[in-house]
Amino acid sequence: MPPATALLLHGFASGPASMWRFQEWLAELGYQAEARAQLGHGGRGPAADYSLAALAADNLAMGDHDLVVGHSMGGATATLAAARRPAWAGRLVLLDPAWRFTTADEAAAVKREELAALDRDAGEIRAAYSAWDERDGAAKIQEVARVWRPAAEGIIDANLDADLRDAARSLAVPTLVICGDPAAGGIVTLADGDAVASANPNVRLVRIAGAGHNPHRDDPEAVRRALLGWLAVPR
């Protein structure tokens, strides 16, 4: 019997190397886990369309998997892909998914911050993320250099009004949503997370107290416990 497969989808202005932790955790469980670059990331060049719909279609083209794990933008595109084609993912894990910008000001601030982050040198990146594991900092340095800047701008501009809460409420596959703490930078609001989880019995929501938008980097052990405990429950 072939091993179970897992697809790992990174967040905005990042890349496949950032998902190293999940590759290790899932390999211990016997998964064949592969991290793939999203449009405009990981050295991938220009694309005709940077809407979430286009990114989700690109995810679907990566083939069906027993498990899909997506962080931030990867969580958003995975949400949309799984809502469109449930057979794409046997199970779905969303890490602080970027389901929507809550205000226009938030969208503008995110664009400024994310594009400025692309201009940091290695020393500035290490300083900015000094609380992370050294491998996370090294992965960030590696992947920032492989982001195509016009794509980063295009992804933000094409999705300012995106709202994937309805897609999340419609998910027909077992889904674990691991959110950060809004007080620490998590982007899934308490209201949005609770509304999705209460409306969809397929969704289990876990919040990591004190963790921000990168719960797997801020508190990896808490994320590992939540993930492995959930995977241990039969579908």
Side-chain angles (χ1 to χ4, degrees):
M1 185 174 181
T5 63
L7 173 65
L8 311 178
L9 300 171
H10 61 82
F12 183 80
S14 191
S18 69
M19 304 300 285
W20 64 269
R21 190 174 275 109
F22 291 95
Q23 285 182 300
E24 293 186 356
W25 290 342
L26 294 171
E28 291 176 1
L29 297 179
Y31 280 87
Q32 181 177 308
E34 181 181 14
R36 299 283 296 274
Q38 301 213 63
L39 295 178
H41 295 70
R44 298 182 66 181
D49 185 356
Y50 290 112
S51 66
L52 288 178
L55 271 70
D58 185 66
N59 292 171
L60 290 171
M62 296 175 186
D64 297 352
H65 293 79
D66 298 292
L67 174 68
V68 175
V69 179
H71 172 235
S72 188
M73 178 183 73
T77 61
T79 298
L80 190 53
R84 291 185 170 183
R85 182 174 144 68
W88 174 67
R91 285 185 171 189
L92 190 62
V93 176
L94 308 175
L95 300 160
D96 217 45
W99 284 334
R100 68 177 181 125
F101 293 118
T102 56
T103 67
D105 287 344
E106 180 192 20
V110 167
K111 182 175 182 178
R112 288 194 303 271
E113 292 166 7
E114 293 289 358
L115 294 182
L118 294 179
D119 297 325
R120 291 173 175 160
D121 62 26
E124 290 171 325
I125 291 173
R126 288 194 183 280
Y129 303 111
S130 59
W132 290 358
D133 185 284
E134 184 176 342
R135 289 179 66 181
D136 290 315
K140 185 69 172 177
I141 292 167
Q142 173 185 331
E143 295 297 359
V144 162
R146 301 205 300 161
V147 175
W148 195 58
R149 189 184 185 94
E153 295 177 351
I155 289 169
I156 294 176
D157 290 341
N159 299 295
L160 293 175
D161 298 325
D163 186 341
L164 300 184
R165 289 175 296 174
D166 283 346
R169 282 189 283 258
S170 75
L171 289 169
V173 300
T175 301
L176 175 65
V177 182
I178 302 178
C179 296
D181 184 342
I187 63 172
V188 177
T189 67
L190 296 176
D192 284 355
D194 290 347
V196 168
S198 63
N200 189 339
N202 295 311
V203 174
R204 179 183 177 192
L205 183 105
V206 174
R207 284 199 182 273
I208 308 298
H213 181 48
N214 298 273
H216 55 303
R217 292 160 171 155
D218 296 337
D219 193 342
E221 185 53 34
V223 171
R224 180 179 179 276
R225 287 196 303 268
L227 173 66
L228 299 190
W230 180 75
L231 288 174
V233 177
R235 290 180 52 188

